[in-house]
């Protein structure tokens, strides 16, 4: 990928012969030509190759299959500057592409093309969906969800078969666009939620070459104490040692995870836990880790394998690790002076022979979305939370510490810890915590199961909190939420006002709660003097003030605005 902010202007790009471009075009037509011919039967050869470039860019950036990539192409007279668009709800990515086919291989991006694409992308961010090609009406909800959520990365890709880079002037314009997107979304360097990419012939060729080389075979895989299942899919299970896993990663790197939803996530709480187990609990690793799931196009059992409950050798063809990327990557990065240490690590493994794309996707999603144990799940073991539950029960309420699928807000006398967290953070004066609650609430449960006093959880659930306070704050919070829901029902989804009402919930609750409680002691007794009408009036006052402040601001990414401490402080200072 060529992020424009990382491209260095090259006044003398390498020349390319025509045969290279012809072969590149033929390769792309092999992948997408037949599908796109059915969709665009009147397209000439040059137009077809341009559409193939758009499809390949989608496949590359969204990590999707060739059929889905081809179906995402909308290159027609009504495309408005967008040649392909794809939303991956699995990978949390929205990819928007404009594609150009330069037969000579020496063309570059022109200013008019850049302006047209930038204009189309800005319309998309402004939720002017009526200007999108009609082909996208069926996925408008997905597009809306991606644009409205800070969980998604959005890639604006200019793909072409010409020279890498562009003229100095055009490249500067592209970088200006990237800088504006970063500023509008409050992104930091290296953490851009919106990314502008220039995807040239060299990038395309490198990506094709990698794709051609990523059918991974693993020879002499030793599965200890293995068993097998033959129906409906031939499968083997048992455990492997850490040394084998490290060797797989050294040979194939992240290509092992081509079909995995997440790849390696870096230094997260889960990966830190895996690292800790490797360093101090090697003998218990099998008990502490969920293991890995491997999909293979073929599984070849060694002729000398004795059968179940023994150790066996296997050759695995066309491998992808669809669950356990964090485990594999953490083991691969584990450093030990004793090379035999990795052999002591036992990791559960499940190998499934699959050929159908449908079952591949189903297994991938299922193995990555089963309920995991999170910091939230340790709440029931926390002594302070247990004490709060006792205090709350004295007032005739039930405090749910266990995670369930029951929404406690529907039960007047039931409160769960998530509701308590929301209410306390919104009541407190710590604006940074409000931003974190909006963008990454899981951080408030990190460290709940240790004695560290520095965790966010202990900063919120401190000695000043008692059961009566939680009941008071949660009751007010619930009424605010019901008012907000009714307000949103009267707003059009494609408006700035709607997005503000959706994403301002935490700061609105902060303003309303603090304006109404003021001198009342929330810790002493249950508050009965604040009426529903007072809460509604306060909500409507503050939502109007927030809307008036934000509406004139152009280009900002509203979800990120309400996660950003500096912007929230500016907002509070101006309303």
């Amino acid at each position: 990928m060529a992020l424009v902010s990382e491209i260095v202007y090259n006044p003398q790009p390498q020349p390319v012969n025509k045969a290279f471009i012809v072969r590149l075009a033929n390769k792309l037509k092999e992948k997408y030509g037949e599908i796109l011919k059915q969709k665009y039967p009147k397209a000439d050869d040059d137009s077809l190759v341009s559409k193939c470039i758009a499809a390949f860019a989608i496949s590359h950036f969204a990590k999707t299959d060739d059929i889905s990539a081809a179906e995402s192409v909308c290159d027609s007279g009504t495309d408005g500057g967008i040649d392909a668009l794809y939303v991956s709800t699995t990978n949390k990515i929205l990819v928007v592409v404009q594609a150009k086919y330069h037969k000579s291989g020496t063309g570059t991006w022109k200013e008019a093309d850049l302006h047209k694409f930038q204009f189309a992308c800005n319309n998309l961010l402004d939720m002017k969906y009526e200007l999108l090609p009609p082909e996208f009406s069926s996925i408008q909800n997905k597009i809306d969800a991606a644009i409205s959520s800070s969980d998604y990365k959005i890639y604006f890709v200019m793909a072409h078969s010409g020279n890498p880079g562009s003229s100095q002037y055009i490249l500067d314009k592209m970088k200006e666009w990237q800088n504006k997107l970063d500023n509008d979304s409050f992104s930091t360097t290296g953490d851009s939620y919106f990314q502008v990419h220039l995807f040239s012939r060299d990038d395309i060729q490198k990506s094709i070459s990698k794709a051609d080389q990523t059918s991974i075979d693993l020879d002499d895989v030793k599965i200890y104490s293995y068993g097998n299942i033959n129906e409906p899919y031939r499968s083997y299970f048992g455990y492997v040692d850490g040394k084998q896993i490290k060797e797989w990663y050294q040979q194939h790197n992240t290509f092992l995870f081509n079909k995995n939803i997440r790849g390696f996530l870096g230094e997260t709480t889960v990966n830190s836990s895996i690292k800790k187990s490797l360093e101090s609990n090697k003998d218990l690793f099998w008990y502490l880790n969920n293991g890995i799931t491997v999909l293979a196009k073929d599984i070849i059992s060694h002729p000398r394998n004795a059968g179940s409950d023994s150790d066996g050798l296997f050759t695995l063809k066309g491998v992808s690790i669809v669950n356990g990327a964090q485990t594999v990557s953490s083991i691969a990065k584990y450093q030990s002076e004793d090379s035999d240490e990795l052999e002591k690590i036992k990791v559960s493994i499940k190998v499934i022979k699959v050929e159908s794309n449908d079952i591949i996707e189903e297994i991938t999603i299922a193995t990555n979305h089963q309920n995991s144990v999170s910091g939230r799940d340790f709440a029931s073991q926390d002594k302070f939370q247990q004490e709060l539950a006792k205090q709350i029960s004295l007032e005739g309420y039930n405090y749910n510490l266990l995670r369930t699928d029951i929404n406690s807000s529907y039960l007047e006398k039931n409160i769960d810890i998530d509701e308590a967290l929301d209410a306390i953070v919104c009541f407190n004066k710590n604006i940074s915590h409000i931003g974190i609650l909006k963008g990454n609430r899981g951080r408030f449960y990190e460290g709940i199961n240790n004695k560290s006093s520095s965790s966010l959880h202990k900063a919120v659930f401190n000695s000043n909190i008692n059961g009566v306070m939680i009941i008071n704050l949660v009751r007010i919070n619930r009424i605010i939420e019901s008012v907000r829901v009714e307000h949103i029902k009267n707003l059009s989804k494609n408006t700035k006002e709607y997005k503000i009402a959706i994403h301002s919930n935490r700061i609105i609750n902060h303003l309303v709660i603090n304006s109404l409680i003021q001198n009342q002691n929330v810790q002493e007794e249950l508050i009965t003097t604040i009426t529903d009408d007072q809460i509604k009036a306060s909500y409507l006052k503050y939502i109007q003030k927030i809307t008036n402040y934000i509406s004139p601001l152009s280009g900002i990414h509203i979800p990120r605005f309400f996660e950003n401490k500096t912007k929230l402080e500016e907002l509070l200072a101006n309303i």
Side-chain angles (χ1 to χ4, degrees):
M1 293 186 282
L3 190 64
V4 294
S5 57
E6 298 175 356
I7 297 175
V8 178
Y9 171 62
N10 181 6
Q12 295 180 318
Q14 284 280 69
V16 63
N17 59 56
K18 188 175 180 180
F20 175 88
I21 298 300
V22 171
R23 293 179 68 182
L24 185 64
N26 288 338
K27 183 71 175 179
L28 292 172
K29 285 190 288 186
E30 284 176 18
K31 292 174 72 67
Y32 309 106
E34 289 304 316
I35 304 170
L36 289 170
K37 280 178 184 177
Q38 294 176 24
K39 192 174 181 180
Y40 300 99
K42 296 182 180 179
D44 60 29
D45 193 67
D46 287 359
S47 176
L48 182 66
V49 175
S50 178
K51 291 170 172 55
C52 289
I53 292 172
F56 185 77
I58 291 290
S59 180
H60 175 87
F61 284 87
K63 302 292 187 281
T64 190
D65 61 274
D66 292 348
I67 294 175
S68 298
E71 289 175 345
S72 74
V73 172
C74 58
D75 189 6
S76 64
T78 61
D79 61 42
I82 295 175
D83 295 331
L85 186 150
Y86 184 84
V87 181
S88 171
T89 54
T90 301
N91 296 321
K92 302 293 185 184
I93 293 171
L94 167 63
V95 183
V96 187
V97 176
Q98 188 181 73
K100 302 293 177 187
Y101 175 43
H102 302 291
K103 292 179 72 171
S104 65
T106 58
T108 188
W109 217 257
K110 297 179 180 177
E111 185 173 11
D113 296 325
L114 173 61
H115 285 168
K116 184 179 180 181
F117 186 51
Q118 190 172 357
F119 180 74
C121 293
N122 287 339
N123 283 335
L124 188 69
L125 294 180
D126 287 336
M127 304 175 84
K128 296 178 180 178
Y129 301 134
E130 69 277 6
L131 301 179
L132 285 175
E135 293 97 318
F136 295 137
S137 59
S138 62
I139 61 167
Q140 182 175 314
N141 288 340
K142 286 185 177 181
I143 297 170
D144 186 66
I147 291 172
S148 300
S149 171
S150 58
D151 292 335
Y152 277 75
K153 295 272 189 178
I154 299 179
Y155 297 152
F156 299 128
V157 181
M158 294 166 282
H160 68 126
S161 60
N163 287 327
S166 187
S167 70
Q168 183 71 69
Y169 175 76
I170 299 298
L171 190 57
D172 287 345
K173 289 291 181 183
M174 292 176 179
K175 291 181 178 182
E176 286 177 13
W177 183 18
Q178 178 66 68
N179 288 337
K180 185 176 188 311
L181 289 169
D182 285 345
N183 290 333
D184 290 344
S185 61
F186 320 110
S187 299
T188 56
T189 303
D191 183 36
S192 297
Y193 274 66
F194 300 87
Q195 299 183 7
V196 181
H197 289 267
L198 187 56
F199 196 53
S200 71
R201 64 159 197 259
D202 289 1
D203 299 310
I204 295 170
Q205 182 56 49
K206 287 175 185 176
S207 182
I208 289 174
S209 298
K210 283 185 178 180
D212 288 344
Q213 295 167 10
T214 53
S215 180
I216 294 172
D217 299 336
L218 299 178
D219 298 320
D220 296 329
V221 174
K222 188 169 186 178
I223 302 179
Y224 297 88
S225 301
Y226 78 87
N228 67 293
I229 300 172
N230 290 319
E231 297 293 340
Y233 301 100
R234 185 170 161 228
S235 309
Y236 291 86
F237 56 89
Y239 72 89
V240 292
D241 61 63
K243 185 177 181 181
Q244 290 185 86
I245 289 175
K246 184 161 187 170
E247 288 171 353
W248 299 345
Y249 192 89
Q250 287 173 337
Q251 292 172 24
H252 304 290
N253 208 274
T254 56
F255 290 119
L256 285 166
F257 315 131
N258 271 356
K259 293 185 176 67
N260 191 290
I261 289 174
R262 292 171 293 193
F264 182 55
L265 300 177
E267 193 64 23
T268 67
T269 304
V270 172
N271 299 327
S272 297
S273 177
I274 294 172
K275 182 179 177 183
K276 184 177 179 181
S277 296
L278 288 170
E279 292 172 345
S280 58
N281 288 309
K282 293 182 186 64
D283 293 339
L284 297 177
F285 193 85
W286 184 89
Y287 301 93
L288 302 174
N289 184 269
N290 289 330
I292 61 178
T293 301
V294 180
L295 302 186
K297 291 181 179 178
D298 195 13
I299 305 172
I300 302 171
S301 177
H302 194 282
R304 294 185 180 178
N305 287 348
S308 294
D309 299 324
S310 64
D311 305 337
L313 287 177
F314 299 85
T315 296
L316 310 181
K317 300 283 189 181
V319 162
S320 181
I321 296 174
V322 297
N323 181 250
Q326 318 312 309
T327 296
V328 171
S329 302
S330 297
I331 290 173
K333 296 176 188 300
Y334 174 66
Q335 301 293 328
S336 174
E337 294 180 3
D338 185 354
S339 60
D340 294 331
E341 284 288 289
L342 285 170
E343 291 189 27
K344 299 176 183 177
I345 298 168
K346 298 176 181 178
V347 182
S348 294
I349 187 171
K350 180 167 58 180
V351 184
I352 307 170
K353 180 182 177 182
V354 291
E355 297 174 359
S356 162
N357 284 333
D358 290 340
I359 193 62
I360 289 173
E361 182 177 358
E362 192 173 334
I363 293 171
T364 302
I365 292 173
T367 54
N368 282 278
H369 283 80
Q370 290 172 355
N371 293 333
S372 59
V373 176
S374 66
R376 161 72 172 82
D377 296 305
F378 288 102
S380 63
Q381 307 301 315
D382 183 74
K383 293 190 182 305
F384 185 67
Q385 291 295 340
Q386 291 170 357
E387 177 59 30
L388 289 176
K390 291 176 184 177
Q391 295 175 16
I392 289 171
S393 69
L394 293 175
E395 303 297 331
Y397 283 74
N398 181 47
Y399 189 42
N400 295 332
L401 295 178
L402 294 174
R403 185 165 49 157
T404 72
D405 59 359
I406 298 173
N407 185 345
S408 65
S409 64
Y410 289 111
L411 305 171
E412 184 183 353
K413 296 287 187 177
N414 266 31
I415 296 173
D416 72 23
I417 187 175
D418 285 316
E419 283 191 290
L421 172 67
D422 293 343
I424 295 168
V425 171
C426 291
F427 173 68
N428 289 343
K429 302 297 191 292
N430 192 317
I431 304 304
S432 175
H433 285 183
I434 293 175
I436 295 169
L437 183 69
K438 183 67 186 171
N440 189 7
R441 66 179 295 117
R443 285 185 58 192
F444 286 101
Y445 293 115
E446 293 176 4
I448 191 173
N449 59 327
N450 62 43
K451 297 181 179 179
S452 171
S453 60
S454 62
S455 72
L456 279 173
H457 181 83
K458 289 178 172 56
V460 173
F461 289 98
N462 57 54
S463 58
N464 295 320
I465 306 300
N466 67 14
V468 170
M469 181 181 185
I470 287 175
I471 294 170
N472 281 327
L473 297 180
V474 167
R475 285 167 62 182
I476 296 172
N477 230 35
R478 285 179 176 177
I479 298 170
I480 298 170
E481 279 301 300
S482 66
V483 172
R484 189 175 73 92
V485 168
E486 288 303 312
H487 173 241
I488 288 170
K489 285 179 182 177
N490 297 316
L491 299 175
S492 172
K493 284 189 175 183
N494 296 341
T495 63
K496 210 169 191 179
E497 289 78 9
Y498 177 84
K499 292 171 73 175
I500 291 170
I502 287 288
H503 294 287
S504 64
N505 57 335
R506 304 305 181 197
I507 196 68
I508 280 277
N509 289 14
H510 167 76
L511 289 164
V512 173
I513 290 174
N514 283 282
S515 71
L516 294 175
I517 287 180
Q518 294 183 347
N519 297 324
Q520 298 194 55
N521 192 331
V522 296
Q523 297 170 317
E524 292 291 327
E525 58 185 4
L526 297 183
I527 297 173
T528 58
T529 56
I530 298 174
T531 67
D532 291 10
D533 287 341
Q534 287 177 300
I535 292 172
K536 181 176 181 179
S538 182
Y539 170 85
L540 293 175
K541 178 181 77 172
Y542 283 116
I543 190 63
Q544 190 60 55
K545 286 187 174 186
I546 291 173
T547 302
N548 291 343
Y549 176 78
I550 293 179
S551 290
L553 305 178
S554 62
I556 65 166
H557 188 228
I558 289 174
R560 291 278 282 173
F561 180 97
F562 289 106
E563 299 171 12
N564 186 279
K565 177 189 176 219
T566 302
K567 292 300 175 184
L568 289 176
E569 289 173 339
E570 290 174 2
L571 171 69
L572 294 177
N574 284 278
I575 63 172

